[in-house]
Every structure is written in C-alpha cells, then in structure tokens.
Amino acid sequence: DLTIEFASTTVDANSIVKSADTVKNYVETKKAVPTTVTVGSKKVTSEQYLYILSSTVTNLNKNSKKSVTVKTIAKAPKPVENVKTGTLSKSEYIKLAGKITAFVNTNGRLPNFVSTSKGTMNPNNLIYTYSKIIAFYKTNNRLPNTVSVKSWSSISKTSSEGAPSGS
C-alpha cells in the first residue's frame, strides 16, 4: 500500500521565531488566541501552531533550527484548566513540549490539557506560554530559564462563568 503525501508543508524555524512575537502580542492585546497564524508564507490553525511551537522549542533546545512539518490537527474536544500563577522551569517546559508533540503525533488532535507543576493548562494557554518562550528566544537568542504562567481565565476575555473551582 503506497501512500504519498504531496501536501506535506513545512515551516522554517526563523519564520516560527518571527511569528511567536506577533502571537504573544495578539494574545496580550486581544485577550484571545488567533484562529489562524501566518508563519512565513503559510497560514496555520492555532492547533497546528501549538504543535509547531512545541516542536520548535524542542529543536531549539538541541540547538537545531530545522523546519517543522505542518500536520492536520484536530481541536481539543474538552479543554480544561486549573493552573496557579507561577513559573515553569526550562527543564519542565522542554519536557512538556515533548509531551505535547508526542500526544499530537499519536492522537491527531491537541490534548485537552497538559499537567504541569502549577496545575493543568489548556491549549490556548499553552499557545500563549510557548509563544512567550520563543519570543524571548527571538530577542535573546536563547531559551529562557523560566517562563511565567497564570490561569487562562485571567488572560482571556472569555472567562467561563460559574466554572467549578478545583477540588
């Protein structure tokens, strides 16, 4: 059985690094994650973008600037979050990036959440967090030692009313 994928699109590391700043600023201004992101000449969905970001963080950590293949990725069916304000260490966010890409490669969709030392983070918050990491890289030419995190509801405009507090 011969399957050939012609539509395998890749985005290069420099375009990804450039785009991260834009996304970080978008989230900080608009209080939401953009539904599509332009990376170089390609338009990708926010789901694809999280995959691209986490792959790129993994690569940059290995001093590799290789391109990332854009795959078809479905949304998280039931995103949940319960994260406390704090910081993630570099070793933790590198490990989480690997978990995100592994999950997507296995399931073809984003995870509903990723467990961190500060609690569970939903995909939107992960997109914002990883765009902050790569935006830092763009400015300083290295990955940050830590990244600050806070609950998505404190960042976004669309906070869900009456959400049950963590038990």
Side-chain angles (χ1 to χ4, degrees), residues 75-97:
K75 288 181 185 331
K78 290 191 169 77
V80 287
E81 180 170 277
N82 186 6
V83 74
K84 292 189 278 297
T85 301
T87 53
L88 304 181
S89 67
K90 181 176 177 184
S91 62
E92 182 174 14
Y93 75 68
I94 297 290
K95 200 165 71 192
L96 294 173

Side-chain angles (χ1 to χ4, degrees), residues 137-155:
Y137 179 91
K138 181 183 169 201
T139 308
N140 302 281
N141 214 25
R142 66 176 178 84
L143 291 171
N145 297 321
T146 59
V147 64
S148 60
V149 294
K150 58 185 179 179
S151 72
W152 181 246
S153 60
S154 72
I155 299 165

Side-chain angles (χ1 to χ4, degrees), residues 98-118:
K99 280 190 182 160
I100 295 165
T101 45
F103 184 95
V104 171
N105 288 335
T106 306
N107 300 283
R109 68 166 174 87
L110 290 186
N112 288 318
F113 63 88
V114 171
S115 299
T116 75
S117 59
K118 299 289 167 251

